[in-house]
């Protein structure tokens, strides 16, 4: 689960999972319709390059530590997991040549193909076992260690309750990795294809803890190697000739620039210095969005991320459900989408994004002021108060956050005749205030780690941690726990849908909009893959001009 507390990186698309192994049979091979798996190398491959902007220096390019989009984009370009998303939107075998799943869906056995690290070492199942346990090792400090909690004893190992040796991942030989899960997880192939589940070269990492800090020590197993890294300026990639799937890689080189200013990025694109500008790694100026849209250049794509406000339910009046509902119902989201986002978002009437939602029509009305007034009056009567205390919205510095807060401030003023203060702080301070409960209404958001409703609903399962609202509901929690043990997909979805309905009825969180990518690209750029969560992959990309 990713609480989006850095710059609002946006994300998504639907990731279709191949589950043919559930009955113990071999998983389906790549379909013949997936050009990414069958295309022969083009004669012009040596001439194809791609230039893109990624706004800022990646925090890390160690796949076991990567959490933000720039970091993950670099790791995805340089590494390959057991499975990988293809251009057809389906998960295919990558380093794993095939895999089997036991009838109870708890044991997954991956059989590795012959592949090499960029330094010539063979990639083995032991590298995967080491990498996954390394993520779970508290000493590593991986922010995404919870993604390994689906492994048997994963959570216990991370908390120190059991040794890492008891985690459900074991290399039985160089080519076989046996994985045991805590509960059936129909989304597990998506996790296996994610950056956190990528391997690392055990010998390299153990010999040099700083291996991922510079280009010349960065040993990888994916489509590209890093040839040069000018920190805070650019990263230059070259095709990895040791990569097992090099015949599928059409680009001979890529350059990721680090330009922070959106206007400069767009100008570089218009001047031919970039082949792609905007989401998911870059940004476009808001003032240019309408003109780009009118010209037909703007491309958009919905993402599995939701921008929301959270109520501190431990503070009056947000301890009352009807008052929370009133404030949520009174927001006119369409006005925000039309006048502020301009193609960078869609109205959200639930926390689950379109690729996961159970109720496409939404859980509540948008901008229903009359119902909101009625609920506010009832809530105040239940609390025994005649007027609301002073309210405040906490948000971190950003043009978009500031504009949205100002519009909502005005909408609540018109609906209820109340004044709401706005508190703008730097992102680090906002994080601390949310975590410590020093707020009334706070800006936050969530972008999925995998394309399944549980990833969003679990945010609010327990008090603390990711749940800044302090809201707790035992029925809601039990539904989530029951869903984890339910192997039948329809029955599991019914449990999750019930939990979703409870959360949206209780309204500790106010959905505002779903993230949408917006970008421009040269017509010559083809087959850039954006997955269900908006992560970008250049393995299959081409740019034949």
């Amino acid at each position: 689960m990713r609480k989006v507390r850095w710059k609002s990186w946006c994300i998504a698309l639907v990731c279709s999972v191949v589950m043919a192994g559930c009955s113990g049979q071999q998983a389906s091979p790549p379909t013949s319709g997936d050009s990414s798996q069958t295309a022969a190398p083009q004669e012009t491959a040596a001439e194809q390059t791609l230039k893109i902007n990624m706004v800022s220096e990646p925090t890390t390019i160690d796949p076991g530590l990567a959490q933000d989009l720039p970091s993950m984009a670099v790791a995805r370009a340089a590494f390959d997991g057991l499975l990988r998303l293809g251009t057809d939107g389906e998960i295919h075998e990558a380093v794993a040549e095939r895999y089997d799943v036991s009838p109870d869906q708890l044991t997954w056995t991956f059989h590795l193909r012959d592949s090499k690290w960029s330094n010539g070492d063979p990639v083995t199942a032991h590298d995967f076992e080491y990498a996954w346990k390394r993520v779970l090792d508290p000493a590593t400090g991986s922010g995404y260690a919870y993604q390994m909690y689906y492994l048997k004893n994963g959570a216990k190992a991370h908390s120190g309750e059991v040794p890492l040796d008891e985690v459900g991942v074991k290399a039985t030989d160089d080519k076989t990795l046996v994985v045991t899960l805590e509960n059936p997880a129909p989304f597990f192939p998506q996790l296996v294809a994610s950056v956190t589940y990528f391997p690392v070269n055990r010998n390299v990492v153990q010999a040099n803890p700083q291996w991922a800090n510079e280009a010349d020590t960065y040993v990888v197993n994916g489509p590209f190697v890093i040839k040069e890294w000018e920190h805070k300026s650019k990263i230059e990639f070259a095709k990895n000739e040791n990569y097992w799937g090099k015949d599928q890689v059409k680009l001979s080189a890529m350059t990721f620039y680090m330009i922070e200013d959106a206007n400069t990025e767009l100008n570089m694109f218009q001047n031919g210095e970039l082949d792609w500008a905007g989401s998911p790694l870059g940004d476009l100026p808001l003032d240019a969005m309408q003109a780009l849209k009118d010209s037909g250049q703007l491309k958009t794509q919905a993402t599995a991320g939701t921008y929301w406000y959270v109520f501190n339910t431990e503070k009056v009046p947000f301890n009352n459900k009807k008052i929370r509902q009133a404030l949520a119902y009174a927001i006119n989201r369409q006005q925000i989408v039309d006048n502020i986002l301009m193609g960078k978002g869609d109205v959200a009437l639930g926390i689950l994004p379109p690729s996961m939602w159970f109720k496409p029509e939404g859980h509540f009305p948008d901008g229903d002021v009359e119902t909101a007034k009625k609920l506010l009056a009832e809530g105040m009567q239940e609390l025994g108060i005649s007027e609301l205390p002073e309210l405040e919205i906490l948000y971190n510095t950003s043009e978009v956050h500031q504009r949205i807060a100002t519009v909502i401030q005005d909408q609540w003023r018109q609906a209820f005749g109340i004044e709401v203060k706005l508190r703008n702080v730097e992102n680090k301070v906002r994080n601390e205030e949310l975590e410590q409960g020093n707020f009334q209404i706070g800006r936050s958001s969530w972008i999925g780690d995998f394309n399944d409703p549980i990833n969003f609903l679990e945010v609010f399962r327990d008090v603390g941690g990711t749940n800044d609202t302090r809201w707790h509901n035992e029925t809601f929690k039990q539904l989530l726990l029951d869903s984890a043990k339910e192997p039948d997909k329809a029955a599991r979805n019914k449990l999750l849908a019930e939990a979703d309905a409870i959360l949206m009825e209780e309204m500790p969180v106010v959905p505002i909009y779903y993230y949408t990518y917006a970008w421009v690209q040269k017509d010559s750029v083809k087959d850039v893959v954006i997955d269900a969560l908006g992560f970008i992959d250049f393995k299959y990309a081409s740019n034949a001009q």
Side-chain angles (χ1 to χ4, degrees), residues 297-464:
Q297 290 180 277
L298 190 69
K299 298 182 182 296
T300 61
Q301 176 176 296
T303 68
T306 308
Y307 183 107
W308 58 47
Y309 279 2
V310 291
F311 291 123
N312 187 340
T313 61
E314 290 183 343
K315 292 190 175 183
V316 177
F318 308 113
N319 57 336
N320 182 273
K321 177 180 73 174
K322 290 182 178 178
I323 289 179
R324 298 195 299 265
Q325 291 175 331
L327 293 171
Y329 291 6
I331 297 174
N332 186 328
R333 294 159 182 79
Q334 194 64 57
Q335 181 183 2
I336 292 171
V337 167
D338 291 343
N339 299 330
I340 297 177
L341 301 176
M342 298 182 183
K344 289 187 175 181
D346 290 309
V347 170
L349 300 177
I351 69 159
L352 297 180
S355 61
M356 306 177 194
W357 62 19
F358 295 111
K359 199 171 183 181
E361 68 275 21
H363 289 272
F364 54 89
D366 181 37
D368 186 349
V369 175
E370 292 307 311
T371 301
K373 287 180 177 178
K374 179 175 178 292
L375 287 166
L376 182 66
E378 292 175 357
M380 291 174 64
Q381 184 176 16
E382 290 175 3
L383 288 176
I385 59 177
S386 58
E387 63 180 24
L388 292 175
E390 185 176 68
L391 304 184
E392 179 183 82
I393 297 174
L394 172 72
Y395 65 95
N396 57 296
T397 304
S398 160
E399 179 187 5
V400 171
H401 302 334
Q402 190 272 333
R403 288 189 184 186
I404 291 174
T406 300
V407 167
I408 292 176
Q409 177 191 48
D410 184 61
Q411 290 177 351
W412 285 346
R413 180 188 299 117
Q414 293 184 37
F416 308 120
I418 61 175
E419 291 299 324
V420 179
K421 292 176 59 179
L422 304 183
R423 181 156 64 111
N424 175 21
V425 297
E426 63 181 57
N427 197 44
K428 180 180 179 181
V429 174
R430 179 184 63 101
N431 292 348
E432 294 170 350
E433 294 290 76
L434 290 176
E435 290 169 359
Q436 295 170 10
N438 297 327
F439 75 100
Q440 291 181 313
I441 306 164
R443 187 213 74 81
S444 192
S445 49
W446 197 263
I447 295 174
D449 297 312
F450 50 90
N451 197 41
D452 190 273
I454 190 66
N455 191 231
F456 276 69
L457 297 173
E458 275 190 327
V459 173
F460 305 97
R461 193 185 76 177
D462 298 301
V463 175

Side-chain angles (χ1 to χ4, degrees), residues 5 14 41 64 79 99 133 148 150 152-153 191 214 231 237 246 278 291 308 327 351 363 388 463 496 508 512 536:
R5 289 183 166 174
V14 177
F79 286 85
Y99 64 97
K133 289 179 177 179
M148 297 288 177
Y150 298 97
K152 187 173 182 60
N153 289 326
L191 281 174
E214 301 295 340
H231 291 279
F237 298 85
K246 65 179 180 179
W308 58 47
L327 293 171
I351 69 159
H363 289 272
L388 292 175
V463 175
L496 294 176
I512 297 175
I536 193 165

Side-chain angles (χ1 to χ4, degrees), residues 46-57:
E47 304 170 3
Q48 297 187 40
T49 63
L50 186 71
K51 296 180 180 180
I52 190 169
N53 187 44
M54 65 187 307
V55 176
S56 63
E57 175 94 347

